[in-house]
Amino acid sequence: MTDPKKARVGYADMVADILHWGHVEFLKNCKSMCDYLVIEVPNDKLVAENKRESFIPFEKRKEVVRSIRYVDEVRDSISWNPAVLMSQLVSEGYNLKYYFHGDDKVDPRAVEYIESVGGEARITPYVEGISTTYLTGLIVDRGKQNVR
């Protein structure tokens, strides 16, 4: 088992409400750049306050993310600000080296924090052709088509 206090640790956050291949590609890419990958999953209250109401309950979303082979550890969100959990990881002795995020909505607080501890923000291109927003729209549209 990899020791996060010695390994190159990467961090990312994700709601993981309707998991799709874009999420898996993102996690695969993240894991290829670090030895130990920590994923922060926000609770239902944080998601509702900052995005929309989640479809899948918090504990189930964490269970799904935990089951993905590229993920070494899943943490509960303690804030919508990713720098808060990254700071906690560092205070626990984790060798935090990378903040990963898609290029859709990068939180500058996270970038500032990771750079302040000698780490690096690795911003990856958003996976084209798929998003949770796209899928929810598709589900609604198909639901309307199937109503008779």
Side-chain angles (χ1 to χ4, degrees), residues 110-129:
V111 174
E112 182 179 318
Y113 180 77
I114 194 67
E115 290 175 351
S116 78
V117 296
E120 179 183 346
R122 297 230 170 144
I123 309 306
T124 62
Y126 207 66
V127 176
E128 291 199 34

Side-chain angles (χ1 to χ4, degrees), residues 92-106:
E92 292 173 16
Y94 281 50
N95 184 31
L96 185 62
K97 294 295 180 189
Y98 305 108
Y99 164 65
F100 299 113
H101 205 279
D103 62 2
D104 56 329
K105 294 179 185 172
V106 178

Side-chain angles (χ1 to χ4, degrees), residues 1-2 7 9 14 42 71-72 77 88 112 130:
M1 184 166 190
T2 305
V9 175
M14 62 190 312
V71 176
D72 296 294
S77 277
Q88 182 178 332
E112 182 179 318
I130 189 67

